[in-house]
């Protein structure tokens, strides 16, 4: 079984989009896939059960179907920091419990994608952060970089935290959050120059209105984190490297920063 932990440079940066797209991509070969989000906040009660958009998206694009309570032991209705909600509920976000759940749930999977919550160092309470969860799982990490102003610093800090924690970067994905970001091509080249691990894809601004359609669109721009291993196993030639943006026109010196975008791609 091959598995990875998906984290991002921030919250609302595209972790679920990328995780679900990877599941969709891997499932096309007939593989048994499973997406897991152990901690989630922001849910709506439907027919007596809490539903979280991210958790539901992972489930729809997984070929293995397990009960939601099994895959998300910590699900909170308010959309707020999980450690605050856990404290209010009198419970502990326990990385050891999550590790045992992931090991049991993935017993019959060929591929498993475990999506983190928030950024890599989001507090989990009791002095823990997302690093403690990633270390408990001991999975290689896929880093989702949201391309917008400030992305380079966030990406390098996150990659440093991953490596300092003793984990490896399996690969990274650039997700275009701000389509008007100045010097998009140059920013992407900087990520290539500085980040460890291969680029698994560059997701442009997607046009579809429905999340599932955006996930399928995103999958067309990604390659599997294990594509080299899988191709070696099947003795197929290696595929192309990460795509790049077209050249970005240089703005005049007086050009203001681009306005914040209301449309989300996460």
């Amino acid at each position: 079984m091959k598995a990875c932990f998906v984290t991002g440079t921030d919250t609302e940066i595209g972790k679920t989009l990328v995780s679900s797209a990877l599941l969709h991509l891997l499932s096309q070969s007939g593989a048994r896939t499973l997406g897991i989000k152990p901690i989630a906040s922001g849910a709506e009660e439907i027919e007596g059960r809490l539903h979280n958009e991210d958790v539901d998206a992972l489930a729809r694009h997984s070929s293995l179907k397990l009960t939601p309570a099994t895959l998300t032991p910590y699900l909170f209705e308010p959309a707020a920091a999980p450690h605050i909600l856990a404290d209010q509920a009198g419970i502990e976000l326990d990385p050891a419990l999550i590790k045992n759940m992931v090991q049991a749930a993935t017993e019959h999977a060929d591929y498993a994608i475990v999506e983190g919550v928030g950024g890599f160092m989001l507090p989990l309470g009791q002095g823990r952060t997302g690093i403690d969860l990633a270390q408990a799982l001991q999975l290689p990490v896929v880093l989702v970089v949201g391309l917008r102003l400030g992305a380079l610093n966030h990406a390098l800090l996150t990659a440093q935290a991953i490596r300092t924690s003793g984990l490896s970067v399996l690969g990274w994905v650039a997700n275009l959050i701000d389509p008007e970001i100045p010097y998009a091509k140059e920013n992407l080249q900087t990520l290539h120059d500085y980040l460890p691990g291969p680029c698994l894809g560059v997701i442009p601004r997607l046009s579809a209105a429905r999340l599932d359609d955006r996930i399928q669109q995103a999958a067309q721009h990604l390659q599997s984190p294990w594509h080299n291993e899988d191709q070696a196993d099947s003795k197929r030639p290696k595929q192309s490297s990460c795509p790049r943006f077209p050249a970005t026109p240089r703005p005049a010196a007086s050009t203001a920063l681009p306005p914040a975008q209301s449309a989300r791609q996460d």
Side-chain angles (χ1 to χ4, degrees):
M1 193 270 294
K2 297 173 182 176
C4 66
F5 181 79
V6 175
T7 192
T9 51
D10 201 349
T11 189
E12 306 291 358
I13 215 71
K15 295 189 306 296
T16 300
L17 177 75
V18 171
S19 298
S20 299
L22 287 174
L23 289 167
H24 180 83
L25 178 67
L26 293 165
S27 296
Q28 298 308 298
S29 65
R32 297 169 296 179
T33 61
L34 185 64
I36 302 172
K37 189 174 178 73
I39 305 171
S41 62
E44 178 184 6
E45 184 173 342
I46 302 174
E47 297 180 352
R49 183 171 72 82
L50 288 179
H51 285 261
N52 172 270
E53 183 181 36
D54 295 349
V55 172
D56 289 352
L58 293 173
R60 288 194 303 272
H61 292 274
S62 298
S63 62
L64 295 178
K65 306 301 179 184
L66 278 70
T67 60
T70 300
L71 301 177
T72 309
Y74 301 108
L75 177 58
F76 303 98
E77 188 168 359
H83 74 289
I84 296 175
L85 301 176
D87 183 64
Q88 290 180 345
I91 61 176
E92 175 185 350
L93 301 176
D94 185 358
L97 182 150
I98 293 173
K99 174 186 177 181
N100 293 334
M101 176 274 292
V102 169
Q103 289 178 338
T106 58
E107 183 180 0
H108 300 293
D110 297 315
Y111 297 97
I113 308 289
V114 182
E115 181 187 332
V117 57
F120 191 59
M121 292 190 66
L122 184 79
L124 298 181
Q126 287 77 45
R128 302 184 184 117
T129 70
I131 289 179
D132 294 278
L133 174 58
Q135 288 177 323
L137 295 173
Q138 282 296 298
L139 297 175
V141 180
V142 170
L143 173 61
V144 180
V145 179
L147 282 179
R148 62 187 182 192
L149 194 64
L152 299 180
N153 180 58
H154 294 163
L156 298 186
L157 285 173
T158 305
Q160 182 182 47
I162 293 169
R163 289 184 291 182
T164 301
S165 70
L167 300 172
S168 63
V169 178
L170 185 60
W172 56 274
V173 175
N175 180 33
L176 185 60
I177 300 296
D178 180 3
E180 297 182 17
I181 180 175
Y183 304 106
K185 178 184 176 183
E186 291 81 358
N187 274 266
L188 186 59
Q189 181 59 54
T190 303
L191 294 175
H192 277 277
D193 293 342
Y194 280 80
L195 285 180
C199 174
L200 303 176
V202 177
I203 302 176
R205 196 66 188 173
L206 303 176
S207 59
R210 294 178 61 253
L211 175 58
D212 283 341
D213 293 336
R214 292 199 301 276
I215 288 169
Q216 292 185 39
Q217 287 180 338
Q220 298 174 16
H221 299 277
L222 297 177
Q223 59 189 13
S224 163
W226 305 279
H227 71 286
N228 284 341
E229 295 177 36
D230 294 341
Q231 287 174 347
D233 291 342
S234 61
K235 298 183 179 179
R236 290 181 305 209
K238 292 185 179 181
Q239 305 242 337
S240 61
S241 60
C242 183
R244 300 170 184 267
F245 286 129
T248 306
R250 294 179 178 271
S254 60
T255 300
L257 293 177
Q261 300 296 308
S262 58
R264 290 169 45 193
Q265 183 162 300
D266 46 47

